[in-house]
Each structure stands twice: as structure tokens, then as C-alpha cells.
Amino acid sequence: MNNDTKKLVWEPPFIQPHRMGEINKFGRARLHDNSKSSVYGVSVVELLRRFGSPLFVTSEKQIRTNLRNTKKAFERRYGSVVHGWSYKTNYISAVCNIMHQEGSWAEVVSAFEYEKARALGVPASKIIFNGPNKPKFILERAIAEGAQIHVDHLDELQLIESIAKDQDKVVAVVLRLNFDTGYTEPWSRFGFNIESGQAHQATKMIALSSHLNLTGLHSHIGTFILEPRAYAEQVRIMCKFMRELESNEDFCIDTIDIGGGFASQNALQSVYLPPEQVVPPINEYADAICTALLEGTQYRRQIGRELPRLIFESGRAIIDDAQSLICTVVGTKRLLDGRRAAILDAGTNLLFTAYWYNHQVHTTKASEGTVADTVLYGPLCMNIDVMRHSVQLPPLSQGDNLVFSPVGAYNNTQWMQFIEYRPNVVLVHENGECSVIRMCEDLSVMMQQDRLPEHLSMPFPDTSAMARMINSGTIARRS
Amino acid sequence: MEELLSRTGGKVPSRERLSQLAVSETGFIFDPQTGQSFSVNPTGLVVLDLLKRGSTLDVASSSLADRCGTPAEIASSSVEAFILQLGRYL
Amino acid sequence: MKATRHKGKSWQNYKVAVTGINARAENPGPGCAVARCIQEHPQFKGSIIGLGYDALDAGLYARHLCNNSYLIPYPSEGEEALLYRLSQIHRAEGLDAIIPCLDSELQNFARLKSELQLMGISMLIPTRDQFNLRAKNHLSTFCESIDVHAPESKALSNPSFFESCEKEGWKYPLIVKGLFYDAYVVHSAFEAKTVFAKLVSTWGYPVLVQKLVIGDELNLAAVGDGKGNMLGAVTMRKKALTEKGKAWAGVSIVDEGLTKVAERIVAGLNWRGPLEVEVIKGYDGKIYLIEINPRFPSWIYLSHAVGRNLPVAVLKLLSGVAELELSEPTSGTFFIRHAQELIVTLPEFETVLTEGRLAPQMVQDQIIRSA
Ligand SMILES: Cc1ncc(COP(=O)(O)O)c(C=O)c1O
């Protein structure tokens, strides 16, 4: 046999028993080569050389394009809209300022986020202050500065009223509502419930107060909502509520805020079909929302009143595909069940969303060798640190790079500082230049917030130091 | 192979047992004794072929190392693991 | 449809690919029955290519039904993977038409329609919008719009519904369904939650819950021409069920009421392609729409038996033949489904496993002889 001498690609010899009921060579066949050597037009090799691995790469162009397209979809159908950038989705300063330059307001949900928006230079009048926990000091500031406050519960409403009294002001508030659209599980823990009458009760309180004025309605029906009709129903319910309010009380609602929740092109682990097939295009959301809103506000046009301002707080749909994570294989294994596995220098510490998404994974150079089911592990000493439970990849070896995408939503905010430094985040500018927008952590960052009491200043004090501390009573004598 | 047996305590299939296997060029293997079928990767196929024809572990490893241009130690430890794996299945 | 549009090949010489050729006894896919309808039509001289999803799909090896067969990527891999594989198969076979037979793959095929058309492969399938409007989680809205009764149903993403549903008028037993397949009757919150978890792990969210309607199960299969007309309805009443609620015996009937409902559905959606309408004729005489399946049912061989061969009608429509030659609907033809062993040789199994296709018969014979 002459092929005895033919060169073979090295891979450890391996035999795999067939399990009946799951055999299909082409079942999960990916296209022969889906490697990509660049992200957002910049070479992966070059990026890693300059900024190290792992590395988050963000595209300014993609963010701007996503935002413009989404706004256009609403403007064409309804007229003026405001996008509130949901800080929690990604609050890296450069990302926020790209949004603001496109005209987006800041949607913040905590004292930190409020302070950050102000520090970036966002005027309070362009801050939407959401969230269930708004401590008094920050409410005082937000009210004094004139931010748009969305009320979550009755205690907060009372607190706002008392601050308004102290500051001798009439504060415009927006009421956060919750209700059942019939399409999604109601997020009934946030805001005031319509069906139970809580919301009406709150509006009564506002009507009775000389320091409060109700000017808007808000609700956020959930996240990654695949059904545009859920929004149509949301808007119908909100408009009905608005109409009742306007006919019974002396309110004039000028803002309808529909929250966020449009799905991004990402693959939820719990959804069978791929995102291209289940995620509706932005126009379908806009259609459902604007049609319902134009219908629901017709009564206002008839009486010559202006249409309310539409605010949407889309997070993941704007940012998700504008960021990728590049990482490096640190080692490979064969698992006992025969599958291939690789250990990466980035795990769920950086890619928190790997817990519920099957992110796309691309190799960065074309490779020979058979594509097979592979498990991708992160670097943590936790069993649940799995980046992909099952993905079809060619054989990997140490030093290979992988690109995860889309990763822009909720990772740069929910990532956790556990045993590893967090890496650089870079931005690819519209002209193709790259710069760091968040520096990688190092030891000084990690220790900066620590404080050592004097007697703990040394890990291994010598005996005389010990004696001094015992004598002075700083530490107790051990028997 | 006896040495591998005593060193690891694992089961090492005999050459008779290996020669019962129906092995096709595509890497498809059928074990007539159990009815189980397997897929073997190209390097595994080379090793299995050599073992069936009576090669020793050393010969099989070094010829694999030659064909792949892989260091001999890596090839030989991988081949050992492969034989132990065969032992678990046969 | 203009008869001149496809000047080329006559449907009788088509090479037709058929999917859904799994044939587990308790819940077979429709593909083998579709293939059988076509193969047994006296004028059909072409051939059938089976497209399977698993090496144990019986149709892959059933040469009297599928002249050749291939494995294709799971629907969850998306259309690009499917197109890539179909192009490989097309290069080897030269396909004229595909009849997709599974719900979960239809969106992939719908999105590839124009690409496949350019390659010379035609399909009679619904558009994405038609497909979505009839989807289980949209069904009640659609029923309202065409004034057809539907049992109350709800899309769920949280199993806690089952704890409190009785208070809200959802009394057990209830039916719990996966988005694409599988339906179970449940009698308690515990049972419901177990089924919920199982359905989520296979088909994802949402899970559908439906109130149980008592009555006779009737199913109707037909083809929509895409202009609002329903062609060749065949109606069947289930006579005996498998554990999965599938018919293992049934009889052809003619039910005016159901035919009217189906006509309204086809007209309301401008349905294009095969469909199955599942209803329950309640003891109150009303017809309740349970499901609209966007494909042929697995009992479609009955259509051949009653002289209304619907799979062949699809081929005729695709090739522009105006005369479908469907006989008048008749009642009283029974079917009883039975299981049978198909013999598979080791080389056949091997090529399906290692190459994802069935080796041609001649090659097989050589392999066997030389073995
Ligand atoms: C009030 C509010 N608005 C907007 C968002 C952003 O949601 P998404 O990223 O799903 O668009 C959230 C996310 O939880 C939210 O709670």
C-alpha cells in the first residue's frame, strides 16, 4: 500500500463508539471553513500583538449603524422618538458617548449609573432615572438637577414627594407600570400593577399631591422578546390606561416609554432554531409598536393634542453585534466520553452571557483536520465555567485563537472579577484606527481598594513584632 | 503490550481480538462479537492496522511518529492511551 | 399556473427529494408515505431521493421508496448549512423538486426558495408569513380572524402557571404542546411541569397549553395553490391511536363542515403547498381547530388509496400541469398502520455513517461480493 508513506496530520489516535439515535455526519456540519482572520476589519493577529489576549473588540461603526437604523424605523412610522441608552447593557464610557453623540439619552438604574452619566457630561434633563433602588441622596440630586424620574414603588413616590416639598418644587414623574400582555411572563416586581389597581392608586396619590405631576408612563415587558405582538399589546394597554387617566384626572401625559427588550442576533440556548430565523427584524417591532401607538393616541389627535413622545430603551439589540471577544487556547484535552475539549484564557468571568447564549465561535485561520464536537472551557476553577457545551470545530491546539460573537450586551457590565484580571477593551474607530477604551486590570487596580489594618501589614511577622502586638493588646495571646 | 498491561493495570486487547474487527478504509469499524460499531480517526486507523498485522507497540508508535512528523515520546504515549481505550471497548 | 412556464421536464420524470423519512413505529414522519404515493403512481417514471436526519431513519435504506438517499444538517443549523449540503446533493443527483415534510425545517427551506429555484429545484411551500400566521402560538388569533372555533390556548414561558391555573379557569386535564412537535395530556400540576421541562429541553420556548375539547378527531390533508384555492382535500377520522396520539388506524370520510373550515383557512392565508388541518368535532357539533400543519401528514398514503394522490398533485402543480385528475372524495377506505423490519446490510449502514449517503446498489453488490 503506497498510502502508507503519505503524510498524515497529527492528532492523537482515537476511537469513538457509535451511539444509536444520534448519528448524522452532516447533522451539525458547519461550512468547511468559517474562520475569520479579522474582526470589524482589523486583523486578529495585529490586535492581539498590540493589546494582548483575551481582548474585547468594539466597533464604533456598527454601534452607530445599529442605532441609526433602529431610530429610523421608528421615525418613519411615528415621528420623533428618543432612544434611552440603557447603561447597564454596556457602560464603558466610550460606548456611552457614542450613543450620546447619536442623540441618545442615558437610561440609568442606580446611583452609580446616574453619577457616571453626569460625570460624562450628560445633562440631567437627558437622564431617565429607572430602577427599584434610588437612595435619598441621589434622588435629591436628580430632582434638583431636573432628571426624568421613573417611579418604581409607593415608598419611593412618598420619598420623592417629601424631597419635592423640601426643595419647594413640583416634580414631574413617570410611572413605571406592569401588566400581563399575554405573550411574556409579566415582570410584575417592577413598577405598579395595572390589573390589581395599584397603578390607579398611585395616580390618585400623585393627583392629590401639590408637589407631584404625572407626565409619563413607562413599562419594560422583558428582555429578548421574540414576539413583536407583545409590544403591540403593551402599547395598547398603556394607551388605554393613559386615556382613562386623561379623562378622569387633570393629567397630560407627554411621554410613553416602552422600555427595551428587542432581541439581538444571538442564539439563546433554549431556542431551537437559529437567530436568523427567530429574531424579528427591527422593522417588525417598529411596525407593531407604531401601529398600536397611532391607534391608541388617535383620541388625542381628534382633540388637537400633541402625540406623546415615544421613548425606547433598547440595549442588546443596539450593542450586541458591535463587540466580539478574542481569546486564546491554552490547552486541549480529550474528554472521557470522546469529545474534544479546549481550555481558553477567557471564561464566564468575562463572558457572563455564555450561561444562556450559544455564541458563535470562529477560528482565526483555516485549518485542516476533521471538524468535530468540541467543548470550550474557561480558565476558572469552577465546573460551570463553560463557554460552549458543544460546538463543531476543527482540531485546536495551544496558541490558536477563537473569536466569540456577538458579545456586546451585558458582558462589560456583568463580568466578574474572579481570580483573573479583566482584559483590555478596544474600540475600532470609524477610520479603522484602534484604541483602548478600558484598560486591562493589573495588580495595582486589584489592590487599590484593599485596606490593611496596621497589625495585618505583614503576612509573616517576626517573633519580636508578634510579641509587641501581643503586649500592646492588638492581638490576643493564643494558648 | 504485556509491559503496558502490568504498568497501567488496564485491559489490553489481544491481537486475536483485534484481528476479529472489520475495519474499513473510511475509519468505520464493526465488532462482530458485540455488534458495536465505531469510528476511528486517521491516525487511529494507521495504528490499528499495524497492530492487527502484528506490530509491537514500539513499532506502531515510531511508524506513526514518522508519518506525522511528531516527537516519538508524544506518539508513543498517545498510542498507549489508544490501546487502553480499545481495551475499554473490546 | 401557465402550462408553458416549465417547458422542460415533465413531472413524470422528476427527480424529487423528500425529507422526514424517519419511520419510528409510534410516530413516523410523513416522508416515506409521500415517497410511496409518488412511486406507486402509475405514470411516475422519475426517482426519489430521501433526505434523512439520522442514520436510523428507515427511509434511507428503503430502496423501493427512495432510489437513493443522503443525510442533511439538522434544522437548528440554519439555512446556510442546509444550502451547502443541498448543493452537494444536487451536484450528484440533479434534483427537480423537493417536498419538505417536517415543520421544523420549513423556515430553512422557505428562506432558500429563490436560491434553490435558480438551481432548478422547485418547491410548493408556504411563505414565512403564511407559516408564522398558522404557528401554534398564533393560532387563536388567526382562528378569530376567519371565524373558526379554537380551544383556548396560551403560550407559556414559566411553568408556575400550572400551580395556579385552575383558579383562572384552566382545569385539568390540559394539553401541553411543544412549539414544533409533541403534545401530552396532563392531569396535574406535577405532571404538567414534568412535561413542560421535557418540551423546553427539546423544542425551547414557548410551550403551549390548550384546553381539552371532547369529541372526534378529524384530520384533513390538502394542497393550497397559493391563490386561495384548496385542492383535493382528503379527510380521515382516527379510529385508533398510538400512545403518542397518532393514528394507527383511520378511515376516509367526507365532512362538509370540516371541508368548509379548511377552505376558509386556505383562502385566509392564500396557503401555498401541502397542509394538514387537525380538528376536533365536539359533541356540541362545533368544529374546533387544533392545529394547522404546514406539510403532508404521515397518513397521506390514504390519499393515493382514495384516488386523490396529493403528493403527485404537488409535482403536477410544480411542472405546470393544469389537470390534476383527482377523483371525487369518497368515504369508507380504511388504513391500519403496521410496522415491518427493513433489512440493512453492513456496507449500507457504513456508507450512511461515514459518508452520509447510501451507496448506489451496484457498488453495494460489489462490496458484498468482495467481502
Ligand atoms: C428598564 C429597562 N430598560 C431597558 C433595558 C434594556 O433591555 P434590552 O437590553 O433587553 O433592550 C432593561 C434591561 O433589563 C431595563 O430593565
Side-chain angles (χ1 to χ4, degrees):
Chain A
M1 267 199 267
N2 60 353
N3 66 343
D4 257 22
T5 48
K6 218 171 66 196
K7 190 114 167 89
L8 260 184
V9 177
W10 168 251
E11 201 194 356
F14 195 79
I15 179 170
Q16 176 94 58
H18 297 142
R19 279 182 287 257
M20 286 302 135
E22 48 182 74
I23 303 175
N24 179 353
K25 182 179 156 103
F26 290 92
R28 302 191 44 225
R30 61 193 247 162
L31 312 176
H32 35 229
D33 176 21
N34 76 347
S35 63
K36 52 184 199 183
S37 55
S38 65
V39 284
Y40 308 119
V42 186
S43 134
V44 169
V45 174
E46 178 64 12
L47 282 165
L48 292 183
R49 189 189 58 74
R50 285 180 61 194
F51 304 107
S53 172
L55 181 69
F56 280 98
V57 186
T58 321
S59 163
E60 178 168 356
K61 187 162 156 200
Q62 192 68 39
I63 298 177
R64 291 187 190 267
T65 308
N66 290 348
L67 190 46
R68 283 175 200 175
N69 289 343
T70 309
K71 275 173 74 172
K72 221 181 284 160
F74 283 92
E75 279 162 359
R76 267 209 308 272
R77 292 170 171 84
Y78 184 73
S80 88
V81 292
V82 169
H83 174 242
W85 174 238
S86 165
Y87 265 40
K88 64 188 137 334
T89 316
N90 191 319
Y91 45 57
I92 290 191
S93 303
V95 169
C96 293
N97 276 353
I98 295 172
M99 304 288 174
H100 296 318
Q101 287 186 358
E102 292 291 324
S104 300
W105 295 11
E107 188 263 333
V108 304
V109 291
S110 65
F112 153 65
E113 286 191 350
Y114 185 88
E115 288 173 350
K116 175 148 191 177
R118 293 289 291 127
L120 286 174
V122 179
S125 61
K126 291 193 170 167
I127 298 181
I128 298 162
F129 199 174
N130 264 319
N133 173 30
K134 308 184 189 79
K136 187 168 181 208
F137 78 94
I138 200 74
L139 266 181
E140 284 171 342
R141 175 171 175 195
I143 289 170
E145 294 178 340
Q148 175 173 312
I149 296 170
H150 290 203
V151 192
D152 185 74
H153 52 262
L154 277 182
D155 291 318
E156 185 175 275
L157 192 59
Q158 275 157 4
L159 182 57
I160 294 170
E161 192 188 17
S162 81
I163 296 171
K165 249 185 230 159
D166 291 346
Q167 297 187 8
D168 194 21
K169 269 193 158 174
V170 176
V171 175
V173 292
V174 174
L175 212 56
R176 174 146 182 187
L177 303 170
N178 72 66
F179 42 81
D180 189 2
T181 61
Y183 289 102
T184 54
E185 284 311 308
W187 280 24
S188 52
R189 51 163 293 192
F190 301 107
F192 299 87
N193 182 261
I194 291 189
E195 292 93 351
S196 69
Q198 280 174 9
H200 282 278
Q201 191 195 345
T203 58
K204 284 269 174 315
M205 271 190 59
I206 298 173
L208 288 175
S209 164
S210 51
H211 290 277
L212 297 174
N213 185 21
L214 181 64
T215 59
L217 301 176
H218 170 223
S219 75
H220 171 76
I221 55 175
T223 190
F224 214 91
I225 293 185
L226 293 169
E227 179 51 82
R229 290 181 306 165
Y231 287 96
E233 196 53 33
Q234 172 197 24
V235 169
R236 263 193 287 280
I237 294 172
M238 290 176 78
C239 287
K240 181 163 168 279
F241 188 77
M242 170 168 73
R243 192 173 180 175
E244 281 164 21
L245 276 185
E246 294 193 335
S247 57
N248 297 334
E249 313 282 353
D250 189 23
F251 291 135
C252 180
I253 302 298
D254 61 24
T255 297
I256 294 272
D257 182 342
I258 56 162
F262 305 157
S264 57
Q265 292 287 333
N266 220 330
L268 270 184
Q269 285 166 7
S270 59
V271 169
Y272 181 75
L273 289 176
E276 319 79 271
Q277 290 181 30
V278 296
V279 174
I282 208 73
N283 281 327
E284 285 186 20
Y285 290 110
D287 241 3
I289 291 165
C290 298
T291 308
L293 192 55
L294 288 169
E295 258 171 43
T297 51
Q298 205 165 13
Y299 75 96
R300 289 172 63 129
R301 269 174 292 167
Q302 280 159 4
I303 57 172
R305 224 184 227 186
E306 268 182 52
L307 292 186
R309 170 197 286 144
L310 173 62
I311 301 184
F312 70 104
E313 302 170 348
S314 204
R316 67 177 75 245
I318 307 292
I319 189 74
D320 220 4
D321 68 354
Q323 196 176 59
S324 300
L325 172 64
I326 308 175
C327 60
T328 305
V329 173
V330 295
T332 59
K333 286 190 174 176
R334 265 293 176 180
L335 300 181
L336 292 181
D337 65 5
R339 285 177 304 160
R340 292 179 187 155
I343 303 147
L344 311 176
D345 62 358
T348 52
N349 52 328
L350 302 183
L351 205 64
F352 195 74
T353 53
Y355 287 130
W356 56 85
Y357 285 141
N358 289 327
H359 293 103
Q360 288 179 40
V361 183
H362 291 270
T363 50
T364 60
K365 48 177 202 266
S367 89
E368 357 161 17
T370 41
V371 168
D373 194 13
T374 308
V375 190
L376 299 177
Y377 294 114
L380 308 183
C381 46
M382 305 193 308
N383 208 25
I384 58 169
D385 182 26
V386 182
M387 296 283 271
R388 282 297 301 266
H389 288 273
S390 165
V391 56
Q392 298 290 112
L393 287 174
L396 297 173
S397 29
Q398 190 191 31
D400 283 353
N401 298 119
L402 295 176
V403 179
F404 284 77
S405 61
V407 306
Y410 298 101
N411 286 307
N412 289 167
T413 50
Q414 285 185 290
W415 52 6
M416 58 179 166
Q417 195 284 295
F418 177 61
I419 73 172
E420 296 273 351
Y421 297 124
R422 279 174 286 200
N424 279 321
V425 180
V426 299
L427 183 74
V428 180
H429 304 192
E430 285 188 288
N431 65 6
E433 270 173 38
C434 299
S435 67
V436 173
I437 54 173
R438 191 178 191 277
M439 287 279 293
C440 59
E441 291 166 341
D442 59 14
L443 189 60
S444 70
V445 174
M446 304 288 257
M447 297 189 63
Q448 184 175 303
Q449 299 302 98
D450 287 2
R451 297 293 179 271
L452 279 173
E454 159 121 46
H455 69 284
L456 297 178
S457 59
M458 286 173 287
F460 297 106
D462 58 25
T463 40
S464 63
M466 275 307 271
R468 264 200 313 281
M469 288 192 278
I470 290 170
N471 286 339
S472 66
T474 316
I475 61 177
R477 188 187 299 277
R478 299 276 179 278
S479 53
Chain B
M1 300 247 234
E2 284 67 32
E3 187 249 349
L4 178 63
L5 178 63
S6 63
R7 183 152 49 80
T8 61
K11 185 174 153 227
V12 173
S14 65
R15 190 155 80 84
E16 291 68 51
R17 183 76 179 87
L18 289 178
S19 65
Q20 289 176 340
L21 298 180
V23 180
S24 101
E25 286 170 27
T26 58
F28 179 83
I29 297 177
F30 182 73
D31 179 355
Q33 196 176 313
T34 62
Q36 175 70 48
S37 61
F38 306 86
S39 288
V40 69
N41 65 359
T43 46
L45 188 59
V46 167
V47 175
L48 194 58
D49 205 41
L50 289 166
L51 294 177
K52 279 182 72 168
R53 285 193 272 146
S55 296
T56 62
L57 199 157
D58 286 344
V59 171
S61 316
S62 61
S63 101
L64 184 65
D66 278 354
R67 286 201 44 193
C68 297
T70 305
E73 308 78 58
I74 292 184
S76 93
S77 69
S78 305
V79 169
E80 279 183 15
F82 179 64
I83 290 170
L84 292 172
Q85 201 202 3
L86 286 173
R88 287 204 299 279
Y89 296 141
L90 300 180
Chain C
M1 208 167 278
K2 286 192 220 93
T4 49
R5 203 166 56 131
H6 300 267
K7 292 204 204 79
K9 227 167 172 177
S10 138
W11 68 272
Q12 298 163 23
N13 300 318
Y14 266 13
K15 197 171 254 193
V16 186
V18 171
T19 69
I21 53 172
N22 57 317
R24 285 192 187 207
E26 83 285 3
N27 187 11
C32 287
V34 168
R36 193 170 169 216
C37 283
I38 299 174
Q39 293 282 24
E40 294 192 8
H41 193 282
Q43 285 159 17
F44 184 73
K45 299 191 280 296
S47 53
I48 299 213
I49 305 300
L51 303 179
Y53 287 106
D54 190 282
L56 290 189
D57 283 358
L60 291 169
Y61 311 93
R63 289 183 196 270
H64 60 295
L65 300 177
C66 302
N67 305 72
N68 203 355
S69 41
Y70 296 84
L71 290 173
I72 57 173
Y74 301 130
S76 56
E77 295 304 290
E79 71 241 29
E80 231 179 306
L82 178 63
L83 181 62
Y84 183 67
R85 181 67 179 142
L86 286 177
S87 321
Q88 289 179 327
I89 296 170
H90 186 53
R91 241 173 281 135
E93 297 286 349
L95 301 174
D96 299 297
I98 302 179
I99 303 184
C101 289
L102 299 176
D103 301 24
S104 54
E105 66 189 11
L106 259 170
Q107 298 214 46
N108 277 330
F109 280 105
R111 294 166 69 99
L112 293 177
K113 190 157 184 278
S114 39
E115 273 111 323
L116 292 176
Q117 192 74 57
L118 283 177
M119 291 159 61
I121 306 174
S122 45
M123 296 185 292
L124 196 75
I125 55 169
T127 62
R128 186 175 112 93
D129 283 348
Q130 294 171 345
F131 181 83
N132 284 341
L133 280 170
R134 54 124 294 274
K136 288 186 201 177
N137 48 339
H138 294 189
L139 194 62
S140 41
T141 327
F142 174 63
C143 284
E144 260 172 51
S145 75
I146 57 163
D147 201 21
V148 170
H149 302 283
E152 206 177 328
S153 76
K154 198 174 160 71
L156 299 179
S157 49
N158 187 334
S160 65
F161 169 83
F162 295 112
E163 301 285 359
S164 55
C165 61
E166 294 215 286
K167 276 183 257 143
E168 294 159 28
W170 293 78
K171 300 260 184 280
Y172 293 103
L174 293 168
I175 300 184
V176 182
K177 297 181 171 188
L179 192 52
F180 294 114
Y181 298 104
D182 295 344
Y184 299 88
V185 176
V186 297
H187 298 86
S188 66
F190 177 78
E191 206 185 339
K193 287 196 286 189
T194 316
V195 166
F196 183 95
K198 191 161 133 186
L199 290 174
V200 167
S201 71
T202 322
W203 300 115
Y205 293 100
V207 168
L208 293 312
V209 59
Q210 195 175 66
K211 287 191 180 167
L212 195 64
V213 179
I214 311 293
D216 292 331
E217 281 190 57
L218 309 184
N219 292 2
L220 175 148
V223 177
D225 68 355
K227 297 172 214 147
N229 305 308
M230 179 171 90
L231 309 172
V234 177
T235 304
M236 178 275 284
R237 176 170 161 192
K238 292 185 186 173
K239 298 294 279 181
L241 306 180
T242 67
E243 267 183 31
K244 288 223 159 197
K246 305 288 160 186
W248 68 260
V251 61
S252 69
I253 58 164
V254 180
D255 185 298
E256 292 291 329
L258 173 53
T259 308
K260 291 225 170 68
V261 166
E263 279 168 354
R264 252 185 290 163
I265 291 170
V266 170
L269 292 169
N270 272 333
W271 189 262
R272 186 170 193 274
L275 83 166
E276 180 192 25
V277 178
E278 291 187 36
V279 303
I280 291 184
K281 192 159 187 181
Y283 295 145
D284 55 5
K286 285 188 196 148
I287 287 178
Y288 292 89
L289 183 60
I290 304 297
E291 251 171 63
I292 304 171
N293 295 315
R295 44 142 181 96
F296 285 125
S298 55
W299 53 269
I300 195 63
Y301 186 64
L302 185 65
S303 77
H304 174 64
V306 300
R308 318 192 104 196
N309 191 322
L310 294 178
V312 165
V314 165
L315 298 187
K316 286 183 177 176
L317 287 170
L318 287 176
S319 68
V321 174
E323 187 40 67
L324 298 183
E325 296 177 275
L326 301 170
S327 37
E328 283 305 302
T330 52
S331 58
T333 303
F334 280 72
F335 73 83
I336 304 169
R337 193 171 281 167
H338 69 127
Q340 211 181 36
E341 293 75 24
L342 195 75
I343 298 305
V344 177
T345 63
L346 188 57
E348 285 176 319
F349 190 61
E350 175 183 339
T351 49
V352 166
L353 229 73
T354 56
E355 293 170 39
R357 66 177 179 94
L358 191 63
Q361 186 84 56
M362 264 166 19
V363 179
Q364 290 293 328
D365 291 347
Q366 281 165 8
I367 294 174
I368 293 166
R369 250 177 274 126
S370 67

